[in-house]
Coordinates of all heavy atoms in Angstrom, one line a residue:
M1 N 25.9 52.8 14.9 CA 24.8 52.5 15.7 C 25.2 52.6 17.2 O 26.3 52.4 17.5 CB 24.2 51.1 15.4 CG 24.9 49.9 16.0 SD 24.2 48.3 15.5 CE 24.5 48.4 13.7
A2 N 24.2 53.0 18.0 CA 24.5 53.2 19.4 C 25.0 51.9 20.1 O 24.8 50.8 19.6 CB 23.3 53.6 20.2
A3 N 25.8 52.1 21.1 CA 26.3 50.9 21.9 C 26.1 51.3 23.4 O 26.1 52.4 23.8 CB 27.8 50.7 21.6
Y4 N 26.0 50.2 24.2 CA 25.6 50.4 25.6 C 26.6 49.6 26.5 O 26.8 48.4 26.2 CB 24.2 49.9 25.8 CG 23.2 50.6 25.0 CD1 22.9 50.2 23.7 CD2 22.6 51.8 25.4 CE1 22.0 50.9 22.9 CE2 21.7 52.5 24.6 CZ 21.4 52.0 23.3 OH 20.6 52.7 22.5
F5 N 27.1 50.3 27.5 CA 27.9 49.5 28.5 C 26.9 49.2 29.6 O 26.1 50.1 30.0 CB 29.0 50.4 29.1 CG 30.4 50.1 28.5 CD1 31.1 51.0 27.8 CD2 30.9 48.8 28.7 CE1 32.3 50.7 27.3 CE2 32.2 48.5 28.2 CZ 32.9 49.5 27.5
V6 N 26.9 48.0 30.0 CA 26.1 47.6 31.2 C 27.0 47.1 32.3 O 27.8 46.2 32.0 CB 25.1 46.5 30.8 CG1 24.3 46.1 32.0 CG2 24.2 46.9 29.7
F7 N 27.1 47.8 33.4 CA 27.9 47.5 34.5 C 27.0 46.9 35.6 O 26.1 47.6 36.0 CB 28.7 48.7 35.0 CG 29.7 49.2 34.1 CD1 29.5 50.2 33.2 CD2 31.0 48.6 34.1 CE1 30.4 50.7 32.4 CE2 32.0 49.1 33.2 CZ 31.7 50.1 32.3
I8 N 27.3 45.7 36.0 CA 26.5 45.0 37.1 C 27.4 44.8 38.2 O 28.4 44.0 38.1 CB 25.9 43.7 36.6 CG1 25.0 44.0 35.3 CG2 25.1 43.0 37.7 CD1 24.6 42.7 34.6
R9 N 27.1 45.5 39.4 CA 27.9 45.2 40.6 C 27.3 44.1 41.3 O 26.2 44.1 41.7 CB 27.9 46.5 41.5 CG 28.9 46.3 42.7 CD 29.1 47.6 43.5 NE 27.8 47.9 44.1 CZ 27.5 49.2 44.4 NH1 28.2 50.2 44.0 NH2 26.3 49.4 45.0
E10 N 28.1 43.0 41.4 CA 27.7 41.8 42.0 C 27.9 41.8 43.5 O 27.0 41.3 44.3 CB 28.4 40.6 41.4 CG 28.0 40.4 39.9 CD 28.8 39.3 39.2 OE1 29.9 39.0 39.6 OE2 28.2 38.8 38.3
H11 N 29.1 42.3 44.0 CA 29.4 42.2 45.4 C 30.5 43.2 45.7 O 31.5 43.3 45.0 CB 29.9 40.8 45.7 CG 30.3 40.6 47.1 ND1 29.5 40.6 48.2 CD2 31.6 40.5 47.6 CE1 30.2 40.4 49.3 NE2 31.4 40.4 49.0
T12 N 30.3 44.1 46.7 CA 31.3 45.0 47.2 C 32.3 44.3 48.1 O 31.9 43.5 49.0 CB 30.7 46.2 48.0 OG1 29.8 46.8 47.1 CG2 31.7 47.1 48.5
T13 N 33.6 44.5 47.8 CA 34.6 43.8 48.6 C 35.4 44.8 49.4 O 36.0 44.5 50.4 CB 35.6 43.1 47.7 OG1 36.1 44.0 46.7 CG2 34.9 41.9 47.0
D14 N 35.5 46.1 49.0 CA 36.2 47.1 49.7 C 35.6 48.5 49.4 O 35.7 49.1 48.4 CB 37.7 47.2 49.2 CG 38.6 48.1 50.0 OD1 38.1 49.1 50.5 OD2 39.8 47.9 50.1
K15 N 34.7 48.9 50.4 CA 33.9 50.1 50.2 C 34.8 51.3 50.0 O 34.4 52.2 49.2 CB 33.1 50.3 51.5 CG 32.2 51.5 51.5 CD 30.9 51.3 50.8 CE 29.9 52.4 51.1 NZ 30.0 53.5 50.2
T16 N 36.0 51.4 50.7 CA 36.8 52.6 50.5 C 37.3 52.7 49.1 O 37.3 53.8 48.5 CB 38.0 52.5 51.5 OG1 37.6 52.4 52.8 CG2 39.0 53.6 51.3
E17 N 37.7 51.6 48.5 CA 38.2 51.6 47.1 C 37.0 52.0 46.1 O 37.2 52.7 45.2 CB 38.8 50.3 46.6 CG 40.1 50.0 47.2 CD 41.2 50.9 46.6 OE1 41.0 51.4 45.4 OE2 42.2 51.1 47.2
L18 N 35.8 51.4 46.4 CA 34.7 51.7 45.6 C 34.3 53.2 45.7 O 33.9 53.8 44.7 CB 33.5 50.8 46.0 CG 32.4 50.7 45.0 CD1 32.9 50.2 43.6 CD2 31.4 49.7 45.5
D19 N 34.4 53.8 46.9 CA 34.1 55.2 47.1 C 35.1 56.1 46.3 O 34.7 57.1 45.7 CB 34.2 55.6 48.6 CG 33.0 55.1 49.4 OD1 32.0 54.7 48.8 OD2 33.1 55.1 50.6
I20 N 36.4 55.7 46.2 CA 37.4 56.4 45.4 C 37.0 56.3 44.0 O 37.0 57.3 43.3 CB 38.8 55.8 45.7 CG1 39.2 56.1 47.1 CG2 39.8 56.4 44.6 CD1 40.5 55.3 47.5
Y21 N 36.6 55.1 43.5 CA 36.2 55.0 42.1 C 35.0 55.9 41.8 O 35.0 56.6 40.8 CB 35.8 53.5 41.8 CG 35.1 53.3 40.5 CD1 35.9 53.4 39.3 CD2 33.8 53.2 40.4 CE1 35.3 53.2 38.1 CE2 33.1 53.0 39.2 CZ 33.9 53.0 38.0 OH 33.3 52.9 36.8
E22 N 34.0 55.8 42.7 CA 32.8 56.6 42.4 C 33.0 58.1 42.4 O 32.3 58.9 41.7 CB 31.7 56.2 43.4 CG 31.2 54.8 43.1 CD 30.2 54.2 44.1 OE1 29.9 54.9 45.1 OE2 29.7 53.1 43.9
S23 N 34.0 58.6 43.2 CA 34.3 60.0 43.2 C 35.1 60.4 41.9 O 35.0 61.6 41.5 CB 35.1 60.4 44.5 OG 36.4 59.9 44.4
L24 N 35.9 59.5 41.4 CA 36.8 59.9 40.2 C 36.2 59.5 38.9 O 36.5 60.2 37.9 CB 38.1 59.1 40.4 CG 39.0 59.5 41.6 CD1 40.2 58.6 41.6 CD2 39.4 61.0 41.5
A25 N 35.3 58.5 38.8 CA 34.8 58.1 37.5 C 34.1 59.2 36.7 O 34.4 59.2 35.5 CB 33.8 56.9 37.7
P26 N 33.3 60.1 37.3 CA 32.7 61.1 36.4 C 33.7 62.0 35.7 O 33.4 62.5 34.6 CB 31.9 62.0 37.4 CG 31.6 61.0 38.5 CD 32.8 60.1 38.6
T27 N 34.9 62.2 36.2 CA 35.9 63.0 35.5 C 36.4 62.4 34.3 O 36.9 63.1 33.4 CB 37.1 63.4 36.5 OG1 37.8 62.1 36.8 CG2 36.6 64.0 37.7
T28 N 36.3 61.0 34.2 CA 36.8 60.3 33.0 C 35.8 60.5 31.8 O 36.2 60.1 30.7 CB 37.0 58.8 33.3 OG1 35.7 58.2 33.4 CG2 37.9 58.6 34.5
L29 N 34.6 61.0 32.0 CA 33.7 61.1 31.0 C 33.8 62.4 30.1 O 33.3 62.4 29.0 CB 32.2 61.1 31.6 CG 31.9 59.9 32.4 CD1 30.5 60.0 33.0 CD2 32.0 58.6 31.6
E30 N 34.6 63.3 30.6 CA 34.8 64.6 29.9 C 35.4 64.3 28.5 O 36.3 63.5 28.3 CB 35.7 65.5 30.7 CG 35.1 65.9 32.0 CD 36.1 66.7 32.9 OE1 37.1 67.2 32.4 OE2 35.8 66.8 34.1
G31 N 34.8 64.9 27.5 CA 35.3 64.7 26.1 C 34.7 63.5 25.4 O 35.1 63.3 24.3
H32 N 33.9 62.8 26.1 CA 33.3 61.6 25.5 C 31.8 61.8 25.4 O 31.1 62.4 26.2 CB 33.5 60.3 26.3 CG 35.0 60.0 26.4 ND1 35.6 59.3 25.4 CD2 35.9 60.3 27.3 CE1 36.9 59.1 25.8 NE2 37.1 59.7 26.9
K33 N 31.2 61.4 24.3 CA 29.8 61.5 24.0 C 29.1 60.3 24.7 O 29.1 59.2 24.2 CB 29.4 61.5 22.5 CG 30.0 62.6 21.8 CD 29.7 62.5 20.3 CE 30.4 63.7 19.6 NZ 30.2 63.6 18.1
I34 N 28.5 60.6 25.9 CA 27.9 59.5 26.7 C 26.6 60.0 27.3 O 26.5 61.2 27.7 CB 28.9 59.0 27.8 CG1 28.3 58.0 28.7 CG2 29.4 60.2 28.6 CD1 29.2 57.4 29.7
S35 N 25.7 59.1 27.4 CA 24.4 59.4 28.2 C 24.3 58.3 29.2 O 24.3 57.1 28.8 CB 23.2 59.4 27.2 OG 23.3 60.5 26.3
V36 N 24.2 58.6 30.4 CA 24.0 57.6 31.5 C 22.5 57.4 31.6 O 21.8 58.4 32.0 CB 24.7 58.0 32.8 CG1 24.4 57.0 33.9 CG2 26.2 58.2 32.6
L37 N 22.0 56.3 31.3 CA 20.6 56.0 31.2 C 20.1 55.4 32.6 O 18.9 55.6 32.9 CB 20.3 55.0 30.1 CG 20.8 55.4 28.7 CD1 20.5 54.3 27.7 CD2 20.1 56.7 28.3
A38 N 20.9 54.7 33.3 CA 20.6 54.2 34.6 C 21.8 54.2 35.5 O 22.9 53.9 35.0 CB 20.0 52.8 34.5
H39 N 21.7 54.6 36.7 CA 22.8 54.7 37.7 C 22.4 54.2 39.0 O 21.9 55.0 39.8 CB 23.3 56.1 37.7 CG 24.6 56.2 38.5 ND1 24.6 56.6 39.8 CD2 25.9 56.0 38.1 CE1 25.9 56.6 40.2 NE2 26.7 56.3 39.2
Y40 N 22.5 53.0 39.3 CA 22.2 52.4 40.6 C 20.8 52.7 41.1 O 20.6 52.8 42.3 CB 23.3 52.7 41.6 CG 24.6 52.3 41.3 CD1 25.6 53.1 40.9 CD2 24.9 50.9 41.3 CE1 26.9 52.7 40.5 CE2 26.2 50.4 40.9 CZ 27.1 51.4 40.5 OH 28.4 50.9 40.1
G41 N 19.9 52.8 40.2 CA 18.5 53.0 40.6 C 17.9 51.7 41.1 O 18.5 50.6 41.1
K42 N 16.6 51.8 41.6 CA 15.9 50.6 42.0 C 15.9 49.6 40.9 O 15.6 50.0 39.7 CB 14.5 51.0 42.5 CG 13.7 49.9 43.0 CD 12.3 50.4 43.5 CE 11.5 49.2 43.9 NZ 10.1 49.6 44.3
H43 N 16.2 48.4 41.2 CA 16.1 47.3 40.2 C 15.5 46.0 40.8 O 15.4 45.9 42.0 CB 17.5 47.1 39.6 CG 18.4 46.4 40.6 ND1 19.1 47.1 41.5 CD2 18.7 45.1 40.8 CE1 19.8 46.3 42.3 NE2 19.6 45.0 41.9
Q44 N 15.1 45.2 39.9 CA 14.6 43.9 40.3 C 15.2 42.8 39.4 O 15.0 42.9 38.2 CB 13.1 43.9 40.1 CG 12.4 42.7 40.5 CD 10.8 42.8 40.4 OE1 10.3 43.8 39.9 NE2 10.1 41.8 40.8
V45 N 15.9 41.9 40.0 CA 16.5 40.8 39.3 C 15.4 39.7 39.1 O 14.8 39.2 40.0 CB 17.7 40.1 40.0 CG1 18.2 38.9 39.2 CG2 18.8 41.2 40.2
L46 N 15.1 39.4 37.8 CA 14.0 38.4 37.5 C 14.6 37.1 37.2 O 13.9 36.1 37.4 CB 13.2 38.9 36.3 CG 12.5 40.3 36.6 CD1 11.8 40.7 35.3 CD2 11.6 40.2 37.8
E47 N 15.8 37.0 36.7 CA 16.5 35.8 36.4 C 18.0 35.9 36.7 O 18.5 37.0 36.6 CB 16.3 35.4 34.9 CG 14.9 35.2 34.5 CD 14.8 34.8 33.0 OE1 15.8 34.3 32.5 OE2 13.7 35.0 32.5
G48 N 18.6 34.9 37.2 CA 20.0 34.9 37.4 C 20.4 35.4 38.8 O 19.5 35.6 39.6
A49 N 21.7 35.6 38.9 CA 22.3 36.0 40.2 C 21.8 37.4 40.6 O 21.6 38.3 39.8 CB 23.8 35.9 40.2
E50 N 21.7 37.6 41.9 CA 21.4 38.9 42.5 C 22.4 39.9 42.1 O 23.6 39.5 41.9 CB 21.2 38.8 44.0 CG 20.7 40.0 44.7 CD 19.4 40.5 44.1 OE1 18.4 39.8 44.1 OE2 19.3 41.7 43.7
A51 N 22.1 41.2 42.1 CA 23.0 42.2 41.8 C 22.8 43.3 42.8 O 21.7 43.6 43.2 CB 22.7 42.8 40.4
E52 N 23.9 43.9 43.2 CA 23.8 45.1 44.1 C 23.4 46.4 43.4 O 22.8 47.2 44.0 CB 25.2 45.3 44.8 CG 25.6 44.3 45.8 CD 26.9 44.7 46.5 OE1 27.5 45.7 46.2 OE2 27.2 44.0 47.5
G53 N 23.8 46.5 42.1 CA 23.5 47.7 41.4 C 23.8 47.5 39.9 O 24.6 46.7 39.5
V54 N 23.2 48.4 39.1 CA 23.4 48.4 37.7 C 23.6 49.8 37.1 O 22.9 50.7 37.6 CB 22.1 47.8 37.0 CG1 22.3 47.7 35.5 CG2 21.9 46.4 37.5
V55 N 24.5 49.9 36.2 CA 24.7 51.2 35.5 C 24.6 50.9 34.0 O 25.1 49.9 33.5 CB 26.1 51.8 35.7 CG1 26.3 53.0 34.8 CG2 26.2 52.2 37.2
I56 N 23.8 51.7 33.2 CA 23.7 51.6 31.8 C 24.1 52.9 31.2 O 23.6 53.9 31.5 CB 22.3 51.2 31.3 CG1 21.9 49.9 32.0 CG2 22.2 51.1 29.8 CD1 20.4 49.6 31.8
A57 N 25.1 52.9 30.3 CA 25.6 54.1 29.6 C 25.6 53.9 28.1 O 26.0 52.8 27.6 CB 27.1 54.3 30.1
E58 N 25.1 54.9 27.4 CA 24.9 54.9 26.0 C 26.0 55.7 25.3 O 26.3 56.8 25.8 CB 23.6 55.4 25.6 CG 23.3 55.4 24.1 CD 22.0 56.1 23.7 OE1 21.6 57.0 24.4 OE2 21.4 55.6 22.7
F59 N 26.6 55.2 24.3 CA 27.6 55.8 23.5 C 27.1 55.8 22.0 O 26.4 54.9 21.6 CB 29.0 55.1 23.6 CG 29.7 55.3 24.9 CD1 29.3 54.5 26.0 CD2 30.6 56.2 25.1 CE1 30.0 54.6 27.2 CE2 31.3 56.4 26.3 CZ 31.0 55.5 27.3
P60 N 27.6 56.7 21.2 CA 27.1 56.8 19.8 C 27.5 55.5 19.0 O 26.8 55.0 18.2 CB 27.8 58.0 19.2 CG 28.1 58.9 20.4 CD 28.4 57.9 21.5
T61 N 28.7 54.9 19.4 CA 29.1 53.7 18.7 C 29.9 52.8 19.7 O 30.4 53.3 20.7 CB 30.1 54.0 17.5 OG1 31.3 54.6 18.0 CG2 29.4 54.9 16.5
A62 N 30.1 51.6 19.3 CA 31.0 50.7 20.2 C 32.4 51.2 20.2 O 33.1 51.1 21.2 CB 30.9 49.3 19.6
R63 N 32.9 51.7 19.1 CA 34.2 52.3 19.0 C 34.4 53.4 20.0 O 35.4 53.5 20.7 CB 34.6 52.8 17.6 CG 36.0 53.3 17.5 CD 36.2 53.7 16.1 NE 36.4 52.5 15.3 CZ 37.0 52.4 14.2 NH1 37.5 53.4 13.6 NH2 37.1 51.3 13.5
E64 N 33.4 54.3 20.1 CA 33.5 55.4 21.0 C 33.4 54.9 22.5 O 34.1 55.5 23.4 CB 32.4 56.5 20.7 CG 32.8 57.2 19.4 CD 31.7 58.2 19.1 OE1 31.7 59.3 19.7 OE2 30.9 58.0 18.1
A65 N 32.6 53.9 22.7 CA 32.5 53.3 24.0 C 33.9 52.7 24.5 O 34.3 53.0 25.6 CB 31.4 52.2 24.1
M66 N 34.5 52.0 23.6 CA 35.8 51.4 23.9 C 36.9 52.5 24.0 O 37.9 52.3 24.8 CB 36.2 50.4 22.9 CG 35.4 49.1 23.0 SD 35.4 48.3 24.6 CE 37.1 48.0 24.8
A67 N 36.8 53.6 23.3 CA 37.7 54.7 23.4 C 37.7 55.3 24.8 O 38.7 55.6 25.4 CB 37.4 55.8 22.4
W68 N 36.5 55.4 25.4 CA 36.4 55.8 26.8 C 37.0 54.7 27.7 O 37.8 55.0 28.6 CB 35.0 56.1 27.2 CG 34.8 56.2 28.7 CD1 35.2 57.2 29.5 CD2 34.2 55.2 29.5 NE1 34.9 56.9 30.8 CE2 34.3 55.7 30.8 CE3 33.6 54.0 29.3 CZ2 33.8 55.0 31.9 CZ3 33.1 53.2 30.4 CH2 33.2 53.8 31.7
Y69 N 36.5 53.5 27.6 CA 36.9 52.4 28.5 C 38.4 52.2 28.5 O 39.0 51.9 29.5 CB 36.2 51.1 28.0 CG 36.4 49.9 29.0 CD1 35.7 49.9 30.2 CD2 37.3 48.9 28.7 CE1 35.9 48.8 31.1 CE2 37.5 47.9 29.6 CZ 36.8 47.8 30.8 OH 37.0 46.8 31.6
D70 N 39.0 52.3 27.3 CA 40.5 52.1 27.2 C 41.3 53.4 27.3 O 42.5 53.4 27.2 CB 40.8 51.4 25.8 CG 40.4 50.0 25.8 OD1 40.3 49.3 26.9 OD2 40.1 49.5 24.7
S71 N 40.6 54.5 27.6 CA 41.4 55.8 27.8 C 42.3 55.7 29.0 O 42.0 55.0 30.0 CB 40.4 56.9 28.0 OG 39.7 56.8 29.2
P72 N 43.4 56.4 29.0 CA 44.3 56.4 30.1 C 43.6 56.8 31.4 O 43.9 56.3 32.5 CB 45.4 57.3 29.7 CG 45.4 57.4 28.2 CD 43.9 57.1 27.8
E73 N 42.7 57.8 31.3 CA 42.0 58.3 32.4 C 41.2 57.3 33.1 O 41.2 57.1 34.3 CB 41.2 59.6 32.0 CG 41.9 60.7 31.5 CD 42.3 60.6 30.1 OE1 41.8 59.7 29.3 OE2 43.2 61.4 29.6
Y74 N 40.4 56.6 32.3 CA 39.5 55.5 32.9 C 40.3 54.3 33.3 O 40.0 53.7 34.4 CB 38.4 55.1 31.9 CG 37.4 54.2 32.6 CD1 36.7 54.7 33.7 CD2 37.3 52.9 32.3 CE1 35.8 53.9 34.4 CE2 36.4 52.0 33.0 CZ 35.7 52.6 34.1 OH 34.9 51.7 34.8
K75 N 41.4 54.0 32.6 CA 42.2 52.8 33.0 C 42.7 53.0 34.5 O 42.8 52.1 35.3 CB 43.3 52.6 32.1 CG 42.9 51.8 30.8 CD 44.1 51.6 30.0 CE 43.8 50.7 28.8 NZ 45.0 50.4 28.0
R76 N 43.2 54.3 34.8 CA 43.7 54.6 36.1 C 42.6 54.4 37.1 O 42.7 53.9 38.2 CB 44.3 56.0 36.2 CG 45.7 56.0 35.6 CD 46.3 57.4 35.9 NE 45.7 58.5 35.3 CZ 45.8 58.9 34.0 NH1 46.7 58.3 33.2 NH2 45.2 60.0 33.5
V77 N 41.4 55.0 36.8 CA 40.3 55.0 37.8 C 39.7 53.6 38.0 O 39.3 53.3 39.1 CB 39.3 56.1 37.3 CG1 38.0 56.0 38.2 CG2 39.9 57.5 37.4
R78 N 39.5 52.9 36.9 CA 38.9 51.6 37.0 C 39.6 50.6 37.9 O 39.0 49.7 38.5 CB 38.5 51.0 35.7 CG 39.7 50.4 34.9 CD 39.3 49.9 33.6 NE 40.4 49.3 32.9 CZ 40.6 49.1 31.6 NH1 39.6 49.5 30.8 NH2 41.6 48.5 31.1
E79 N 40.9 50.8 38.2 CA 41.6 50.0 39.1 C 41.0 50.0 40.5 O 41.0 49.0 41.2 CB 43.1 50.4 39.1 CG 43.8 50.0 37.9 CD 43.8 48.6 37.5 OE1 44.0 47.7 38.4 OE2 43.6 48.3 36.3
H80 N 40.4 51.1 40.9 CA 39.7 51.2 42.2 C 38.5 50.4 42.1 O 38.1 49.8 43.2 CB 39.4 52.7 42.5 CG 40.7 53.5 42.7 ND1 41.5 53.4 43.8 CD2 41.2 54.4 41.9 CE1 42.5 54.2 43.7 NE2 42.4 54.9 42.6
R81 N 37.8 50.4 41.0 CA 36.6 49.5 40.9 C 36.9 48.1 41.0 O 36.3 47.3 41.7 CB 35.9 49.8 39.6 CG 34.6 49.0 39.4 CD 33.8 49.5 38.2 NE 34.5 49.4 36.9 CZ 34.6 48.3 36.2 NH1 34.1 47.1 36.6 NH2 35.2 48.3 35.0
F82 N 38.0 47.7 40.3 CA 38.5 46.3 40.4 C 38.8 45.9 41.8 O 38.5 44.7 42.2 CB 39.7 46.1 39.5 CG 39.5 46.3 38.0 CD1 40.6 46.5 37.2 CD2 38.2 46.2 37.4 CE1 40.4 46.7 35.8 CE2 38.0 46.3 36.1 CZ 39.1 46.6 35.3
R83 N 39.4 46.8 42.6 CA 39.7 46.5 44.0 C 38.6 46.6 44.9 O 38.6 46.0 46.0 CB 40.9 47.4 44.4 CG 42.2 47.1 43.8 CD 43.4 47.8 44.4 NE 43.3 49.2 44.2 CZ 43.9 49.9 43.3 NH1 44.7 49.3 42.4 NH2 43.8 51.2 43.2
G84 N 37.5 47.3 44.5 CA 36.4 47.6 45.4 C 35.2 46.7 45.3 O 34.4 46.6 46.2
A85 N 35.1 46.0 44.1 CA 33.9 45.2 44.0 C 34.1 44.2 42.8 O 34.9 44.4 42.0 CB 32.7 46.1 43.7
E86 N 33.2 43.2 42.8 CA 33.1 42.3 41.7 C 32.0 42.8 40.8 O 30.9 43.1 41.2 CB 32.8 40.9 42.2 CG 33.9 40.3 43.1 CD 33.5 39.0 43.7 OE1 32.5 38.3 43.2 OE2 34.1 38.6 44.7
Y87 N 32.4 43.0 39.5 CA 31.5 43.5 38.5 C 31.4 42.6 37.3 O 32.4 41.9 37.0 CB 32.0 44.9 38.0 CG 31.5 46.1 38.8 CD1 32.2 46.5 39.9 CD2 30.5 46.8 38.3 CE1 31.7 47.6 40.6 CE2 30.1 48.0 39.0 CZ 30.7 48.3 40.1 OH 30.3 49.5 40.8
R88 N 30.4 42.7 36.6 CA 30.3 42.3 35.2 C 30.2 43.5 34.3 O 29.4 44.4 34.7 CB 29.1 41.4 34.9 CG 29.3 39.9 35.4 CD 28.1 39.1 35.2 NE 27.2 39.3 36.3 CZ 25.9 39.1 36.2 NH1 25.3 38.7 35.1 NH2 25.1 39.4 37.3
A89 N 30.9 43.6 33.3 CA 30.9 44.8 32.4 C 30.6 44.2 31.0 O 31.3 43.3 30.5 CB 32.2 45.6 32.4
I90 N 29.5 44.7 30.4 CA 29.1 44.1 29.1 C 28.9 45.3 28.1 O 28.3 46.3 28.5 CB 27.7 43.4 29.2 CG1 27.9 42.3 30.2 CG2 27.2 42.9 27.9 CD1 26.6 41.8 30.8
L91 N 29.5 45.2 26.9 CA 29.2 46.1 25.8 C 28.3 45.5 24.8 O 28.6 44.4 24.3 CB 30.6 46.6 25.2 CG 30.5 47.5 24.0 CD1 29.8 48.8 24.5 CD2 31.9 47.8 23.4
V92 N 27.2 46.1 24.5 CA 26.3 45.6 23.6 C 25.9 46.7 22.6 O 25.7 47.8 22.9 CB 25.0 45.0 24.3 CG1 24.3 46.1 25.1 CG2 24.1 44.4 23.3
E93 N 25.9 46.3 21.3 CA 25.4 47.2 20.3 C 23.9 47.3 20.2 O 23.3 46.2 20.3 CB 26.0 46.8 18.9 CG 27.5 47.1 18.8 CD 28.0 46.9 17.4 OE1 27.6 45.9 16.8 OE2 28.9 47.6 17.0
G94 N 23.4 48.4 19.9 CA 22.0 48.6 19.7 C 21.5 48.2 18.3 O 22.3 47.8 17.5
L95 N 20.3 48.5 18.1 CA 19.7 48.2 16.7 C 20.0 49.4 15.8 O 20.1 50.5 16.3 CB 18.2 48.0 16.8 CG 17.8 46.8 17.7 CD1 16.3 46.8 17.9 CD2 18.3 45.5 17.0
P96 N 20.1 49.1 14.5 CA 20.3 50.3 13.6 C 19.1 51.2 13.6 O 18.0 50.8 13.8 CB 20.4 49.6 12.2 CG 20.5 48.1 12.5 CD 20.1 47.8 13.9
T97 N 19.4 52.5 13.5 CA 18.3 53.5 13.4 C 17.7 53.4 12.0 O 18.3 53.1 11.1 CB 18.8 54.9 13.7 OG1 19.9 55.2 12.8 CG2 19.3 55.0 15.2
Q98 N 16.4 53.7 12.0 CA 15.7 53.6 10.7 C 15.4 54.9 10.1 O 15.3 55.9 10.7 CB 14.4 52.8 10.9 CG 14.7 51.4 11.4 CD 13.4 50.6 11.5 OE1 12.3 51.0 11.1 NE2 13.5 49.5 12.2

């Protein structure tokens, strides 16, 4: 069943590091089955803490999502995200297809 990564940027701490991350992150997607469904578009927080931005990415399975997240390529690049902003990253499985 499909799985979704939801990345919520709560607060930017270092714009330079975040810019590096944003320039390199697309290269880590090569070879992975991923559909980016939302990428920092207009959003409205209805409950909970404010968010600077949201990304939602769909993978065929949670295993494939984690294969990307734990890949050596993304591990190197995500360090810039860690230094550049405070994020919440959530992996959620979708519903079974009928």
Side-chain angles (χ1 to χ4, degrees):
M1 80 184 64
Y4 303 86
F5 260 118
V6 180
F7 291 95
I8 302 168
R9 186 172 67 213
E10 297 175 331
H11 177 74
T12 300
T13 56
D14 186 330
K15 179 87 167 87
T16 301
E17 285 290 337
L18 200 53
D19 288 344
I20 294 168
Y21 170 76
E22 290 174 356
S23 72
L24 297 175
T27 65
T28 70
L29 303 176
E30 295 172 19
H32 296 277
K33 296 177 184 174
I34 178 175
S35 295
V36 179
L37 304 177
H39 187 264
Y40 298 110
K42 183 178 177 183
H43 70 276
Q44 182 178 5
V45 176
L46 302 176
E47 297 181 20
E50 187 55 56
E52 287 184 356
V54 178
V55 173
I56 302 171
E58 179 183 35
F59 289 82
T61 66
R63 180 178 290 202
E64 290 179 75
M66 289 305 299
W68 165 74
Y69 187 79
D70 288 335
S71 69
E73 296 81 13
Y74 187 65
K75 281 184 173 181
R76 281 190 296 275
V77 171
R78 74 182 184 201
E79 290 301 316
H80 296 286
R81 181 171 59 82
F82 294 158
R83 290 190 293 264
E86 295 175 17
Y87 271 82
R88 279 180 279 158
I90 302 162
L91 176 61
V92 58
E93 287 186 324
L95 298 172
T97 55
Q98 298 182 14

